[in-house]
Coordinates of all heavy atoms in Angstrom, one line a residue:
M144 N -22.6 79.8 -16.6 CA -22.7 78.4 -16.3 C -22.1 78.2 -14.9 O -21.0 78.6 -14.6 CB -21.9 77.6 -17.3 CG -21.9 76.2 -17.1 SD -20.4 75.3 -17.0 CE -19.1 76.4 -17.6
F145 N -22.9 77.5 -14.1 CA -22.4 77.2 -12.7 C -22.1 75.7 -12.5 O -22.7 74.9 -13.2 CB -23.5 77.6 -11.7 CG -23.7 79.1 -11.5 CD1 -24.6 79.8 -12.2 CD2 -22.9 79.7 -10.6 CE1 -24.7 81.2 -12.1 CE2 -23.0 81.1 -10.4 CZ -23.9 81.8 -11.1
I146 N -21.2 75.5 -11.6 CA -20.9 74.1 -11.2 C -21.0 74.0 -9.7 O -20.5 74.9 -9.0 CB -19.4 73.8 -11.7 CG1 -19.2 74.0 -13.1 CG2 -19.0 72.4 -11.2 CD1 -17.8 74.1 -13.6
C147 N -21.6 72.9 -9.3 CA -21.7 72.7 -7.8 C -21.1 71.4 -7.5 O -21.3 70.4 -8.2 CB -23.1 72.8 -7.4 SG -23.3 72.8 -5.6
V148 N -20.2 71.3 -6.5 CA -19.6 70.1 -6.0 C -20.5 69.6 -4.8 O -20.6 70.3 -3.8 CB -18.2 70.3 -5.6 CG1 -17.6 68.9 -5.1 CG2 -17.4 70.8 -6.7
L149 N -21.0 68.4 -4.9 CA -21.9 67.9 -3.8 C -21.4 66.6 -3.3 O -21.0 65.7 -4.1 CB -23.3 67.7 -4.4 CG -24.0 68.9 -4.9 CD1 -25.1 68.4 -5.8 CD2 -24.5 69.7 -3.8
Y150 N -21.4 66.4 -2.0 CA -21.1 65.1 -1.4 C -22.5 64.5 -1.3 O -23.3 64.9 -0.5 CB -20.5 65.3 0.0 CG -20.3 64.0 0.7 CD1 -19.5 63.0 0.2 CD2 -21.0 63.8 1.9 CE1 -19.4 61.8 0.9 CE2 -20.8 62.6 2.6 CZ -20.0 61.6 2.1 OH -19.9 60.4 2.7
V151 N -22.7 63.5 -2.1 CA -24.0 62.9 -2.3 C -24.2 61.6 -1.4 O -23.3 60.8 -1.4 CB -24.2 62.5 -3.8 CG1 -25.6 61.9 -4.0 CG2 -24.1 63.8 -4.6
I152 N -25.3 61.6 -0.8 CA -25.8 60.3 -0.2 C -27.2 60.1 -0.7 O -27.7 61.0 -1.4 CB -25.7 60.4 1.4 CG1 -26.5 61.6 1.8 CG2 -24.3 60.5 1.9 CD1 -26.7 61.7 3.3
T153 N -27.7 59.0 -0.3 CA -29.1 58.7 -0.9 C -30.1 59.8 -0.6 O -30.8 60.2 -1.5 CB -29.6 57.4 -0.2 OG1 -28.6 56.4 -0.5 CG2 -30.9 56.9 -0.8
T154 N -30.0 60.4 0.6 CA -31.0 61.4 0.9 C -30.7 62.7 0.2 O -31.5 63.6 0.2 CB -31.0 61.7 2.5 OG1 -29.7 62.0 2.9 CG2 -31.5 60.4 3.2
G155 N -29.5 62.9 -0.4 CA -29.2 64.1 -1.1 C -29.6 64.1 -2.5 O -29.4 65.1 -3.2
K156 N -30.1 63.0 -3.0 CA -30.4 62.9 -4.4 C -31.4 64.0 -4.9 O -31.3 64.6 -5.9 CB -30.9 61.5 -4.8 CG -31.3 61.3 -6.2 CD -31.8 59.9 -6.5 CE -32.3 59.8 -7.9 NZ -32.9 58.5 -8.1
G157 N -32.4 64.2 -4.1 CA -33.5 65.2 -4.4 C -32.9 66.6 -4.6 O -33.3 67.3 -5.5
F158 N -31.9 66.9 -3.7 CA -31.3 68.2 -3.8 C -30.5 68.3 -5.1 O -30.5 69.4 -5.8 CB -30.4 68.5 -2.6 CG -29.8 69.8 -2.5 CD1 -30.5 70.9 -2.4 CD2 -28.4 70.0 -2.6 CE1 -30.0 72.2 -2.4 CE2 -27.8 71.2 -2.6 CZ -28.6 72.3 -2.5
C159 N -29.8 67.3 -5.5 CA -29.1 67.2 -6.7 C -30.0 67.4 -7.9 O -29.7 68.2 -8.9 CB -28.3 65.9 -6.9 SG -27.0 65.7 -5.7
L160 N -31.1 66.7 -7.9 CA -32.1 66.9 -9.0 C -32.6 68.3 -9.1 O -32.8 68.8 -10.2 CB -33.2 65.9 -8.8 CG -32.8 64.4 -8.9 CD1 -34.0 63.5 -8.5 CD2 -32.3 64.0 -10.3
D161 N -32.9 68.9 -7.9 CA -33.4 70.3 -7.9 C -32.3 71.3 -8.6 O -32.7 72.1 -9.3 CB -33.7 70.8 -6.5 CG -34.9 70.2 -6.0 OD1 -35.7 69.6 -6.7 OD2 -35.1 70.2 -4.7
L162 N -31.1 71.1 -8.2 CA -30.0 71.9 -8.8 C -29.9 71.7 -10.3 O -29.7 72.6 -11.1 CB -28.7 71.7 -8.1 CG -28.6 72.1 -6.6 CD1 -27.3 71.7 -6.0 CD2 -28.7 73.7 -6.5
A163 N -29.9 70.4 -10.7 CA -29.8 70.1 -12.1 C -31.0 70.7 -12.9 O -30.8 71.2 -14.0 CB -29.7 68.6 -12.3
K164 N -32.1 70.7 -12.3 CA -33.3 71.2 -12.9 C -33.1 72.7 -13.2 O -33.7 73.2 -14.2 CB -34.5 71.0 -12.0 CG -35.9 71.4 -12.6 CD -37.0 71.1 -11.6 CE -38.3 71.4 -12.2 NZ -39.4 71.1 -11.3
K165 N -32.3 73.4 -12.4 CA -32.1 74.8 -12.6 C -30.9 75.1 -13.5 O -30.4 76.2 -13.7 CB -31.8 75.5 -11.3 CG -33.1 75.5 -10.4 CD -32.8 76.0 -9.0 CE -34.1 75.9 -8.2 NZ -34.1 76.5 -7.0
G166 N -30.3 74.0 -14.1 CA -29.3 74.1 -15.1 C -27.9 74.0 -14.5 O -26.9 74.3 -15.2
M167 N -27.7 73.6 -13.2 CA -26.4 73.5 -12.6 C -25.7 72.2 -13.0 O -26.3 71.2 -13.0 CB -26.7 73.5 -11.0 CG -25.4 73.4 -10.2 SD -24.7 75.0 -9.9 CE -26.0 75.9 -9.0
N168 N -24.5 72.4 -13.4 CA -23.6 71.3 -13.7 C -23.1 70.8 -12.3 O -22.8 71.6 -11.4 CB -22.4 71.7 -14.5 CG -22.9 72.1 -15.9 OD1 -23.4 71.4 -16.7 ND2 -22.7 73.4 -16.2
L169 N -23.0 69.4 -12.2 CA -22.7 68.9 -10.8 C -21.5 68.0 -10.8 O -21.3 67.2 -11.7 CB -23.9 68.1 -10.3 CG -25.2 68.9 -10.3 CD1 -26.4 67.9 -9.9 CD2 -25.2 70.0 -9.3
V170 N -20.7 68.1 -9.8 CA -19.7 67.1 -9.4 C -20.2 66.4 -8.2 O -20.5 66.9 -7.2 CB -18.3 67.8 -9.1 CG1 -17.3 66.7 -8.7 CG2 -17.8 68.6 -10.2
L171 N -20.5 65.1 -8.4 CA -21.1 64.2 -7.3 C -20.0 63.4 -6.7 O -19.2 62.8 -7.3 CB -22.1 63.3 -8.0 CG -23.2 64.0 -8.8 CD1 -24.1 63.0 -9.5 CD2 -24.0 64.9 -8.0
V172 N -20.0 63.5 -5.3 CA -18.9 62.9 -4.5 C -19.5 62.0 -3.5 O -20.4 62.4 -2.7 CB -18.0 63.9 -3.9 CG1 -16.9 63.3 -3.1 CG2 -17.5 64.9 -4.8
S173 N -19.1 60.7 -3.4 CA -19.6 59.8 -2.4 C -18.7 58.6 -2.5 O -17.7 58.5 -3.3 CB -21.0 59.4 -2.7 OG -21.5 58.6 -1.6
R174 N -19.0 57.6 -1.6 CA -18.1 56.4 -1.5 C -18.4 55.4 -2.6 O -17.5 54.7 -3.0 CB -18.3 55.7 -0.2 CG -17.7 56.4 1.0 CD -18.0 55.6 2.3 NE -19.4 55.4 2.5 CZ -19.9 54.7 3.4 NH1 -19.1 54.0 4.2 NH2 -21.2 54.5 3.5
T175 N -19.7 55.3 -3.0 CA -20.1 54.2 -3.9 C -20.2 54.7 -5.4 O -21.2 55.4 -5.7 CB -21.4 53.6 -3.4 OG1 -21.4 53.4 -2.0 CG2 -21.7 52.3 -4.2
K176 N -19.2 54.3 -6.2 CA -19.2 54.8 -7.6 C -20.4 54.4 -8.4 O -20.9 55.2 -9.2 CB -17.9 54.3 -8.2 CG -17.6 54.9 -9.6 CD -16.2 54.6 -10.1 CE -15.9 55.5 -11.3 NZ -14.5 55.4 -11.6
V177 N -20.8 53.2 -8.2 CA -22.0 52.7 -9.0 C -23.2 53.5 -8.7 O -23.9 53.9 -9.7 CB -22.3 51.2 -8.7 CG1 -23.5 50.7 -9.4 CG2 -21.1 50.3 -9.2
K178 N -23.5 53.8 -7.5 CA -24.6 54.7 -7.1 C -24.5 56.1 -7.7 O -25.4 56.7 -8.2 CB -24.8 54.8 -5.6 CG -25.3 53.5 -5.0 CD -25.5 53.7 -3.5 CE -25.9 52.4 -2.8 NZ -26.0 52.5 -1.4
L179 N -23.3 56.6 -7.6 CA -23.0 57.9 -8.2 C -23.2 57.9 -9.7 O -23.8 58.9 -10.2 CB -21.6 58.3 -7.9 CG -21.2 58.8 -6.5 CD1 -19.7 59.0 -6.4 CD2 -21.9 60.1 -6.2
Q180 N -22.8 56.9 -10.4 CA -22.9 56.8 -11.8 C -24.4 56.7 -12.2 O -24.8 57.3 -13.2 CB -22.2 55.6 -12.4 CG -20.7 55.8 -12.3 CD -19.9 54.6 -12.6 OE1 -20.3 53.4 -12.4 NE2 -18.7 54.8 -13.2
D181 N -25.2 56.0 -11.4 CA -26.6 55.9 -11.7 C -27.3 57.3 -11.5 O -28.1 57.7 -12.4 CB -27.3 54.9 -10.7 CG -26.9 53.5 -11.0 OD1 -26.4 53.2 -12.1 OD2 -27.1 52.6 -10.1
V182 N -27.0 58.0 -10.5 CA -27.6 59.3 -10.3 C -27.1 60.3 -11.4 O -27.9 61.1 -11.9 CB -27.2 59.9 -8.9 CG1 -27.6 61.3 -8.7 CG2 -27.8 59.0 -7.8
A183 N -25.8 60.2 -11.7 CA -25.3 61.1 -12.8 C -26.0 60.9 -14.1 O -26.3 61.8 -14.8 CB -23.8 60.9 -12.9
K184 N -26.2 59.6 -14.4 CA -26.8 59.3 -15.7 C -28.3 59.8 -15.7 O -28.7 60.4 -16.7 CB -26.8 57.8 -15.9 CG -27.5 57.3 -17.2 CD -27.4 55.8 -17.4 CE -28.1 55.4 -18.7 NZ -28.1 54.0 -18.8
E185 N -29.0 59.6 -14.6 CA -30.3 60.1 -14.5 C -30.4 61.6 -14.7 O -31.2 62.2 -15.4 CB -30.9 59.7 -13.2 CG -32.3 60.2 -13.0 CD -32.9 59.9 -11.6 OE1 -32.3 59.1 -10.9 OE2 -34.0 60.5 -11.2
I186 N -29.5 62.3 -14.0 CA -29.4 63.8 -14.1 C -29.1 64.3 -15.5 O -29.7 65.2 -16.0 CB -28.4 64.3 -13.1 CG1 -28.9 64.2 -11.7 CG2 -28.0 65.8 -13.4 CD1 -27.9 64.5 -10.6
E187 N -28.1 63.7 -16.1 CA -27.7 64.1 -17.5 C -28.8 63.8 -18.5 O -29.1 64.7 -19.3 CB -26.4 63.3 -17.9 CG -25.2 63.8 -17.2 CD -23.9 63.0 -17.6 OE1 -24.0 62.1 -18.4 OE2 -22.9 63.4 -17.0
E188 N -29.5 62.7 -18.4 CA -30.5 62.4 -19.4 C -31.8 63.3 -19.2 O -32.4 63.7 -20.1 CB -30.9 60.9 -19.2 CG -29.9 60.0 -19.8 CD -30.2 58.5 -19.6 OE1 -31.2 58.2 -18.9 OE2 -29.4 57.7 -20.1
K189 N -32.1 63.5 -17.9 CA -33.3 64.2 -17.6 C -33.2 65.7 -17.8 O -34.1 66.4 -18.3 CB -33.8 63.9 -16.2 CG -35.2 64.4 -15.9 CD -35.7 63.9 -14.6 CE -37.1 64.3 -14.3 NZ -37.7 63.8 -13.1
Y190 N -32.0 66.3 -17.4 CA -31.9 67.7 -17.3 C -30.8 68.3 -18.3 O -30.6 69.5 -18.3 CB -31.5 68.2 -15.9 CG -32.7 67.8 -14.9 CD1 -32.5 66.8 -14.0 CD2 -33.9 68.5 -15.0 CE1 -33.6 66.5 -13.2 CE2 -34.9 68.2 -14.2 CZ -34.8 67.2 -13.2 OH -35.8 66.9 -12.4
K191 N -30.2 67.4 -19.0 CA -29.2 67.9 -20.0 C -28.1 68.8 -19.5 O -27.7 69.8 -20.1 CB -29.9 68.6 -21.2 CG -31.0 67.8 -21.8 CD -30.6 66.5 -22.4 CE -31.8 65.7 -23.0 NZ -31.8 64.3 -22.8
V192 N -27.6 68.4 -18.3 CA -26.5 69.1 -17.7 C -25.3 68.2 -17.6 O -25.4 67.0 -17.8 CB -26.8 69.7 -16.3 CG1 -27.9 70.7 -16.3 CG2 -27.1 68.6 -15.3
N193 N -24.1 68.7 -17.4 CA -22.9 67.9 -17.3 C -22.7 67.4 -15.8 O -23.0 68.2 -14.9 CB -21.7 68.7 -17.7 CG -21.8 69.1 -19.2 OD1 -21.7 68.2 -20.0 ND2 -22.0 70.4 -19.4
T194 N -22.2 66.2 -15.7 CA -21.9 65.7 -14.3 C -20.5 65.1 -14.3 O -20.0 64.6 -15.4 CB -22.9 64.7 -13.8 OG1 -22.9 63.5 -14.7 CG2 -24.3 65.2 -13.8
M195 N -19.9 65.0 -13.2 CA -18.7 64.2 -12.9 C -18.9 63.5 -11.6 O -19.5 64.0 -10.7 CB -17.5 65.2 -12.8 CG -16.2 64.5 -12.5 SD -14.9 65.7 -12.2 CE -13.6 64.6 -12.0
V196 N -18.4 62.3 -11.6 CA -18.5 61.5 -10.3 C -17.1 61.3 -9.7 O -16.1 61.0 -10.5 CB -19.2 60.2 -10.4 CG1 -20.7 60.4 -10.9 CG2 -18.5 59.2 -11.4
I197 N -17.0 61.4 -8.4 CA -15.7 61.1 -7.7 C -16.1 60.2 -6.6 O -16.8 60.6 -5.7 CB -15.0 62.4 -7.2 CG1 -14.7 63.3 -8.3 CG2 -13.8 62.0 -6.4 CD1 -14.2 64.7 -7.9
D198 N -15.6 59.0 -6.6 CA -15.8 58.0 -5.5 C -14.7 58.2 -4.5 O -13.5 58.1 -4.8 CB -16.0 56.6 -6.0 CG -14.7 56.1 -6.7 OD1 -14.2 56.8 -7.5 OD2 -14.3 54.9 -6.4
I199 N -15.1 58.6 -3.3 CA -14.1 58.8 -2.2 C -14.7 58.5 -0.9 O -15.9 58.8 -0.6 CB -13.6 60.3 -2.3 CG1 -12.3 60.5 -1.6 CG2 -14.7 61.3 -1.9 CD1 -11.6 61.8 -1.9
D200 N -13.9 58.0 0.0 CA -14.3 57.7 1.4 C -13.6 58.7 2.3 O -12.4 58.6 2.5 CB -14.0 56.3 1.7 CG -14.5 55.9 3.1 OD1 -14.8 56.8 3.9 OD2 -14.7 54.7 3.3
F201 N -14.3 59.7 2.8 CA -13.7 60.7 3.6 C -13.1 60.1 4.9 O -12.2 60.8 5.5 CB -14.7 61.8 4.0 CG -15.0 62.7 2.8 CD1 -16.1 62.4 2.0 CD2 -14.2 63.7 2.5 CE1 -16.4 63.2 0.9 CE2 -14.5 64.5 1.4 CZ -15.6 64.3 0.6
T202 N -13.5 59.0 5.4 CA -13.0 58.4 6.6 C -11.6 57.7 6.4 O -10.9 57.5 7.3 CB -14.0 57.4 7.2 OG1 -14.1 56.3 6.3 CG2 -15.3 58.0 7.5
K203 N -11.3 57.4 5.1 CA -10.1 56.7 4.8 C -9.1 57.5 4.0 O -7.9 57.3 4.1 CB -10.4 55.4 4.0 CG -11.2 54.4 4.9 CD -11.5 53.1 4.0 CE -12.3 52.2 4.9 NZ -12.7 51.0 4.1
D204 N -9.6 58.4 3.1 CA -8.7 59.1 2.3 C -8.3 60.4 3.0 O -9.1 61.4 3.1 CB -9.4 59.5 0.9 CG -8.4 60.0 -0.1 OD1 -7.4 60.6 0.3 OD2 -8.7 59.8 -1.3
K205 N -7.0 60.5 3.4 CA -6.5 61.7 4.1 C -6.3 62.9 3.2 O -6.2 64.0 3.7 CB -5.2 61.3 4.9 CG -5.4 60.2 5.8 CD -6.4 60.5 6.9 CE -6.5 59.3 7.9 NZ -7.8 59.1 8.5
N206 N -6.3 62.6 1.9 CA -6.1 63.7 1.0 C -7.3 64.0 0.1 O -7.3 64.3 -1.0 CB -4.9 63.4 0.0 CG -3.6 63.2 0.8 OD1 -3.3 64.1 1.6 ND2 -2.9 62.1 0.5
A207 N -8.5 63.8 0.8 CA -9.8 63.9 0.0 C -9.9 65.3 -0.6 O -10.3 65.4 -1.8 CB -10.9 63.7 1.0
R208 N -9.6 66.4 0.1 CA -9.8 67.7 -0.5 C -8.9 67.9 -1.7 O -9.4 68.4 -2.7 CB -9.5 68.7 0.6 CG -9.7 70.2 0.1 CD -9.3 71.2 1.1 NE -9.4 72.5 0.6 CZ -9.9 73.5 1.2 NH1 -10.3 73.4 2.5 NH2 -10.0 74.7 0.7
E209 N -7.7 67.5 -1.6 CA -6.7 67.7 -2.7 C -7.1 66.9 -3.9 O -7.0 67.3 -5.0 CB -5.3 67.3 -2.3 CG -4.7 68.3 -1.2 CD -5.1 68.0 0.2 OE1 -5.7 66.9 0.5 OE2 -4.8 68.8 1.0
R210 N -7.6 65.7 -3.6 CA -8.1 64.8 -4.7 C -9.3 65.4 -5.4 O -9.3 65.4 -6.7 CB -8.4 63.4 -4.2 CG -8.8 62.4 -5.2 CD -8.9 61.0 -4.7 NE -9.7 60.3 -5.7 CZ -10.6 59.4 -5.4 NH1 -10.8 59.0 -4.2 NH2 -11.3 58.8 -6.3
I211 N -10.2 65.9 -4.7 CA -11.4 66.5 -5.3 C -11.0 67.7 -6.1 O -11.4 67.9 -7.3 CB -12.4 66.9 -4.2 CG1 -13.0 65.6 -3.6 CG2 -13.5 67.8 -4.8 CD1 -13.9 65.9 -2.4
E212 N -10.1 68.6 -5.6 CA -9.6 69.7 -6.3 C -8.9 69.3 -7.6 O -9.1 69.9 -8.7 CB -8.7 70.6 -5.5 CG -9.5 71.3 -4.4 CD -8.5 72.0 -3.4 OE1 -7.3 72.0 -3.5 OE2 -9.1 72.7 -2.5
T213 N -8.0 68.3 -7.5 CA -7.3 67.9 -8.7 C -8.2 67.3 -9.8 O -8.1 67.7 -10.9 CB -6.3 66.8 -8.3 OG1 -5.4 67.4 -7.3 CG2 -5.5 66.3 -9.5
E214 N -9.1 66.4 -9.4 CA -10.0 65.8 -10.3 C -11.0 66.7 -10.9 O -11.4 66.5 -12.1 CB -10.7 64.6 -9.7 CG -9.7 63.5 -9.3 CD -10.4 62.2 -8.9 OE1 -11.5 61.9 -9.3 OE2 -9.7 61.4 -8.1
T215 N -11.4 67.7 -10.2 CA -12.4 68.7 -10.8 C -11.8 69.7 -11.7 O -12.5 70.3 -12.5 CB -13.2 69.4 -9.7 OG1 -12.3 70.1 -8.8 CG2 -14.1 68.4 -8.9
K216 N -10.5 69.9 -11.6 CA -9.8 70.9 -12.5 C -10.1 70.6 -14.0 O -10.3 71.5 -14.8 CB -8.3 71.0 -12.2 CG -8.0 71.8 -11.0 CD -6.5 71.9 -10.8 CE -6.2 72.6 -9.5 NZ -4.8 72.7 -9.2
V217 N -10.0 69.3 -14.4 CA -10.2 68.9 -15.8 C -11.6 69.2 -16.1 O -11.9 69.7 -17.2 CB -9.8 67.4 -16.0 CG1 -10.1 67.0 -17.4 CG2 -8.3 67.3 -15.7
F218 N -12.5 68.8 -15.2 CA -14.0 69.0 -15.5 C -14.3 70.5 -15.7 O -14.9 70.9 -16.7 CB -14.8 68.5 -14.3 CG -16.3 68.5 -14.4 CD1 -16.9 67.8 -15.4 CD2 -17.0 69.4 -13.6 CE1 -18.3 67.8 -15.5 CE2 -18.4 69.4 -13.7 CZ -19.0 68.7 -14.6
F219 N -13.7 71.3 -14.8 CA -13.9 72.8 -15.0 C -13.4 73.3 -16.3 O -14.0 74.1 -17.0 CB -13.3 73.6 -13.8 CG -13.9 73.3 -12.5 CD1 -13.2 73.4 -11.4 CD2 -15.3 73.1 -12.4 CE1 -13.8 73.2 -10.1 CE2 -15.9 72.9 -11.1 CZ -15.1 72.9 -10.0
H220 N -12.2 72.8 -16.6 CA -11.5 73.3 -17.9 C -12.3 72.9 -19.1 O -12.5 73.6 -20.0 CB -10.1 72.7 -18.0 CG -9.4 73.0 -19.3 ND1 -8.9 74.2 -19.6 CD2 -9.2 72.2 -20.4 CE1 -8.4 74.2 -20.8 NE2 -8.6 73.0 -21.3
N221 N -12.8 71.6 -19.1 CA -13.6 71.1 -20.2 C -14.9 71.9 -20.4 O -15.3 72.3 -21.5 CB -13.9 69.6 -20.1 CG -12.6 68.8 -20.3 OD1 -11.6 69.3 -20.9 ND2 -12.7 67.6 -19.9
L222 N -15.5 72.2 -19.3 CA -16.8 73.0 -19.4 C -16.5 74.4 -19.8 O -17.3 75.0 -20.6 CB -17.5 73.0 -18.0 CG -18.2 71.7 -17.6 CD1 -18.8 71.9 -16.2 CD2 -19.2 71.3 -18.6
K223 N -15.4 75.0 -19.3 CA -15.0 76.3 -19.8 C -14.8 76.4 -21.3 O -15.3 77.3 -22.0 CB -13.7 76.8 -19.1 CG -13.9 78.0 -18.2 CD -12.6 78.2 -17.4 CE -12.0 79.4 -17.9 NZ -10.8 79.8 -17.1
T224 N -14.2 75.3 -21.8 CA -13.9 75.2 -23.2 C -15.2 75.1 -24.0 O -15.4 75.8 -25.0 CB -13.0 74.0 -23.5 OG1 -11.8 74.2 -22.8 CG2 -12.7 73.9 -25.0
L225 N -16.1 74.3 -23.5 CA -17.4 74.1 -24.1 C -18.4 75.3 -24.1 O -19.1 75.7 -25.0 CB -18.1 72.9 -23.6 CG -17.5 71.5 -23.8 CD1 -18.3 70.5 -23.0 CD2 -17.6 71.2 -25.3
E226 N -18.4 76.0 -22.9 CA -19.4 77.0 -22.6 C -18.9 78.4 -22.4 O -19.7 79.2 -22.1 CB -20.3 76.5 -21.5 CG -21.0 75.1 -21.8 CD -21.9 74.7 -20.7 OE1 -22.4 75.6 -20.0 OE2 -22.1 73.5 -20.6
G227 N -17.6 78.6 -22.5 CA -17.1 79.9 -22.3 C -16.6 80.3 -21.0 O -15.5 80.7 -20.9
T228 N -17.4 80.2 -20.0 CA -16.9 80.5 -18.6 C -17.5 79.6 -17.6 O -18.7 79.2 -17.8 CB -17.3 82.0 -18.3 OG1 -16.7 82.3 -17.0 CG2 -18.8 82.3 -18.3
A229 N -16.8 79.3 -16.6 CA -17.3 78.4 -15.5 C -17.2 79.2 -14.2 O -16.2 79.8 -13.9 CB -16.5 77.1 -15.5
R230 N -18.2 79.1 -13.4 CA -18.2 79.7 -12.1 C -18.5 78.6 -11.1 O -19.5 77.9 -11.2 CB -19.3 80.8 -12.0 CG -18.9 82.0 -12.8 CD -19.9 83.1 -12.7 NE -21.0 82.7 -13.6 CZ -22.1 83.4 -13.8 NH1 -22.3 84.4 -13.0 NH2 -23.0 83.0 -14.7
Y231 N -17.7 78.5 -10.1 CA -17.8 77.5 -9.1 C -18.8 77.9 -8.0 O -18.7 79.0 -7.5 CB -16.4 77.3 -8.4 CG -16.3 76.4 -7.3 CD1 -16.5 75.0 -7.5 CD2 -16.1 76.9 -6.0 CE1 -16.4 74.2 -6.4 CE2 -16.0 76.0 -4.9 CZ -16.2 74.7 -5.1 OH -16.1 73.8 -4.0
A232 N -19.8 77.1 -7.8 CA -20.8 77.5 -6.9 C -20.6 77.0 -5.4 O -21.3 77.5 -4.6 CB -22.2 76.9 -7.4
G233 N -19.7 76.1 -5.2 CA -19.5 75.7 -3.8 C -19.4 74.3 -3.6 O -19.6 73.4 -4.5
L234 N -19.2 73.9 -2.3 CA -19.1 72.5 -1.9 C -20.2 72.3 -0.8 O -20.2 73.1 0.2 CB -17.7 72.2 -1.4 CG -17.5 70.9 -0.7 CD1 -17.7 69.8 -1.7 CD2 -16.1 70.8 -0.1
L235 N -21.0 71.3 -1.0 CA -22.0 71.0 0.0 C -21.6 69.6 0.6 O -21.4 68.7 -0.1 CB -23.4 70.9 -0.6 CG -24.4 70.3 0.3 CD1 -24.8 71.3 1.4 CD2 -25.7 69.9 -0.4
L236 N -21.5 69.6 1.9 CA -21.2 68.3 2.6 C -22.5 67.9 3.3 O -22.9 68.6 4.3 CB -20.1 68.4 3.6 CG -18.7 68.7 2.9 CD1 -17.6 68.9 4.0 CD2 -18.3 67.6 2.0
A237 N -23.1 66.8 2.9 CA -24.3 66.4 3.5 C -24.0 65.4 4.6 O -22.9 64.8 4.6 CB -25.2 65.6 2.5
P238 N -24.8 65.3 5.7 CA -24.5 64.4 6.8 C -24.4 63.0 6.3 O -25.2 62.6 5.5 CB -25.6 64.7 7.8 CG -26.7 65.3 7.0 CD -26.1 66.0 5.8
A239 N -23.6 62.2 6.9 CA -23.5 60.8 6.6 C -24.7 60.1 7.1 O -25.3 60.5 8.1 CB -22.2 60.2 7.3
E240 N -25.0 59.0 6.4 CA -26.2 58.2 6.8 C -25.9 57.5 8.1 O -24.9 57.0 8.4 CB -26.5 57.2 5.7 CG -27.0 57.8 4.5 CD -27.4 56.8 3.4 OE1 -26.9 55.7 3.4 OE2 -28.1 57.2 2.6

C-alpha cells in the first residue's frame, strides 16, 4: 500500500485522480479546506482509496513541513493498522497558480 503527499491546486486535480486510479492513498495539501474536501470525497467515492486533507498556507505557516509530518503520522499509522504496511511514496509540490 502506497501513500503520496500532494500539494494540490486546481490544475493538480487530474494528477491526483490518476494516482488514486492506481490505488494510491493520498494526503492532499492546499490552502482551501473546502476545495480539498471536495476533491478528497470525489477520490474516495470513485476509487475507494483513503485520503487525508491538510489546509495550509505555505506563505504564512513557517512550520509547514513539521505540521504536515505531524498530521500525517496518524494517517500513516491508521493505514498501517488497516492494511498491514504503509510505504511513503513522496511529496509533490505543484507550482502555485
Side-chain angles (χ1 to χ4, degrees):
M144 181 237 342
F145 285 94
I146 301 163
C147 189
V148 180
L149 299 162
Y150 175 61
V151 180
I152 56 173
T153 306
T154 57
K156 180 180 172 185
F158 185 64
C159 293
L160 294 173
D161 287 343
L162 291 174
K164 185 177 183 179
K165 295 176 182 185
M167 182 85 61
N168 296 296
L169 304 173
V170 177
L171 308 173
V172 182
S173 186
R174 288 182 301 174
T175 312
K176 190 169 191 169
V177 172
K178 289 181 184 178
L179 286 172
Q180 290 170 329
D181 290 344
V182 172
K184 181 178 179 184
E185 178 182 348
I186 288 170
E187 288 179 0
E188 289 175 355
K189 189 170 185 178
Y190 298 108
K191 309 300 182 216
V192 297
N193 297 291
T194 65
M195 174 185 186
V196 300
I197 301 174
D198 60 316
I199 196 165
D200 186 339
F201 288 96
T202 64
K203 295 179 183 175
D204 191 334
K205 302 299 180 211
N206 298 311
R208 181 182 176 141
E209 293 82 11
R210 185 172 158 216
I211 291 169
E212 288 174 358
T213 300
E214 292 189 28
T215 56
K216 281 182 185 179
V217 173
F218 183 67
F219 294 148
H220 175 75
N221 289 342
L222 287 178
K223 243 173 112 173
T224 302
L225 290 173
E226 300 184 26
T228 184
R230 289 179 278 177
Y231 174 70
L234 172 65
L235 170 73
L236 296 177
E240 292 181 338

